[in-house]
Amino acid sequence: NPVSTTTMVLLEKVYVLYCGACGMPPEYCEYGPDFETHCNPWLLKNHPDVYEELRGAACTVVPETKAPRPSEPWTMEERLKAFYDKYEPNKVDNVPQLLEKYEGKEEKLFQALVKKYGPEPEDPFYDDEDSDIDDNGDDEDDEGQEERLSSKQKKKRRGAGAKKATKVDTRVVIQKISRNRKKATTVVMGMDTIPGVKLKDVSKAFSKRFAGSSSVKDGVKGKEIIIQGDHMDDVAEMIVHKFQVSGDSVYMDIDGEFIPYK
């Protein structure tokens, strides 16, 4: 009779770790919906060594490198390009022509742009100076001084701040609206920001000055004075001289650009 042989194979026991949150091996947790909120916290708490092995490289924080400080501040062209790049990127290419057009009036141009769009971008040349001031502990000195103020002084400061917050900056905008080729109207906005001025009296003064109709109406951004005819330049001059408004606070809307009167 043939002799039967039996071959025995020894199998090594393999330990498999399964996530207590989603039930998958930790290598596949990232494909589930609860990877960040449940799987990672569970693995870090129960098996930190496995967490370090699987997530350590991915969780390594790369320190942010700060760009070196420029050797000099922006030129006027760089300053204007940075402004338009933030608010109107499609106008960046027109910067050289704008600077040529407003040569000698660049600051007034920026004042108009800031009032129309918002604050200017920060020049990186001045960033380190601001941080140096902070590092000197000025903020801590201010906090200490605030703590030393008596309650009566604090009340006075709060009262002064409240009055300053309610102050309205004077800003008058003049636009021309053409209804057809021959007829046009002049729209004046912001006259209600002039202290002590009544809109009805202003409307009457415009009507008398330009010998035409003038009325006060509710506009999208507040009260408007509608004057019959194209009188932009004359209206601006009248506002500056008759109502004692600074020329820097009177703007003429010319093709969508707000240009200070003076």
Side-chain angles (χ1 to χ4, degrees):
N1 295 330
V3 179
S4 61
T5 59
T6 303
T7 304
M8 297 182 65
V9 179
L10 296 178
L11 300 178
E12 184 180 358
K13 184 178 180 181
V14 178
Y15 173 76
V16 180
L17 175 63
Y18 292 95
C19 176
C22 68
M24 298 286 289
E27 297 87 343
Y28 299 98
C29 287
E30 60 182 313
Y31 300 105
D34 302 323
F35 172 62
E36 295 288 346
T37 57
H38 294 77
C39 300
N40 262 350
W42 179 88
L43 187 62
L44 179 61
K45 180 181 179 180
N46 296 279
H47 301 277
D49 54 335
V50 180
Y51 178 88
E52 182 66 26
E53 181 182 352
L54 295 176
R55 316 279 188 245
C59 295
T60 302
V61 177
V62 179
E64 183 180 355
T65 57
K66 187 175 181 180
R69 178 187 175 189
S71 59
E72 56 185 17
W74 282 338
T75 63
M76 192 64 68
E77 182 175 352
E78 291 172 336
R79 181 181 167 191
L80 189 56
K81 282 184 177 180
F83 190 96
Y84 275 125
D85 187 57
K86 180 178 180 180
Y87 296 105
E88 290 282 355
N90 58 319
K91 293 186 178 181
V92 172
D93 294 337
N94 299 331
V95 166
Q97 293 87 340
L98 283 172
L99 289 176
E100 183 179 354
K101 180 179 179 181
Y102 296 104
E103 183 178 1
K105 301 179 180 179
E106 292 87 352
E107 290 302 327
K108 291 186 177 181
L109 173 62
F110 275 102
Q111 290 176 10
L113 292 174
V114 167
K115 288 198 174 185
K116 180 179 179 181
Y117 294 103
E120 286 191 54
E122 294 185 3
D123 188 338
F125 177 78
Y126 300 104
D127 285 349
D128 288 347
E129 293 183 358
D130 295 340
S131 62
D132 291 342
I133 294 175
D134 294 339
D135 292 341
N136 289 334
D138 290 347
D139 291 341
E140 295 179 1
D141 294 340
D142 292 341
E143 291 176 3
Q145 184 178 0
E146 181 71 21
E147 291 176 358
R148 290 191 294 269
L149 289 175
S150 65
S151 59
K152 185 176 181 179
Q153 289 173 316
K154 290 182 180 179
K155 288 181 181 179
K156 287 183 178 180
R157 290 185 61 177
R158 283 197 295 268
K163 291 181 180 179
K164 186 177 290 186
T166 56
K167 183 180 178 181
V168 179
D169 292 333
T170 299
R171 182 171 185 262
V172 181
V173 178
I174 307 170
Q175 293 178 327
K176 181 185 74 173
I177 299 178
S178 299
R179 291 182 291 179
N180 51 48
R181 294 183 179 180
K182 296 183 179 180
K183 294 183 179 180
T185 56
T186 302
V187 181
V188 184
M189 297 169 288
M191 291 298 294
D192 51 352
T193 63
I194 304 174
V197 172
K198 295 182 180 180
L199 295 183
K200 288 186 178 180
D201 295 339
V202 176
S203 179
K204 289 181 180 179
F206 286 150
S207 179
K208 183 178 180 180
R209 169 67 174 79
F210 302 113
S213 64
S214 176
S215 59
V216 180
K217 295 185 178 180
D218 292 324
V220 177
K221 297 183 179 180
K223 296 289 185 179
E224 299 177 347
I225 299 179
I226 312 297
I227 308 168
Q228 184 179 5
D230 179 9
H231 308 290
M232 286 187 64
D233 294 330
D234 294 332
V235 167
E237 182 181 1
M238 184 176 176
I239 292 173
V240 171
H241 292 93
K242 182 176 179 63
F243 299 103
Q244 302 300 311
V245 179
S246 172
D248 294 338
S249 299
V250 180
Y251 295 85
M252 294 187 291
D253 185 354
I254 301 176
D255 297 331
E257 293 189 21
F258 292 82
I259 310 301
Y261 175 64
K262 287 184 178 180

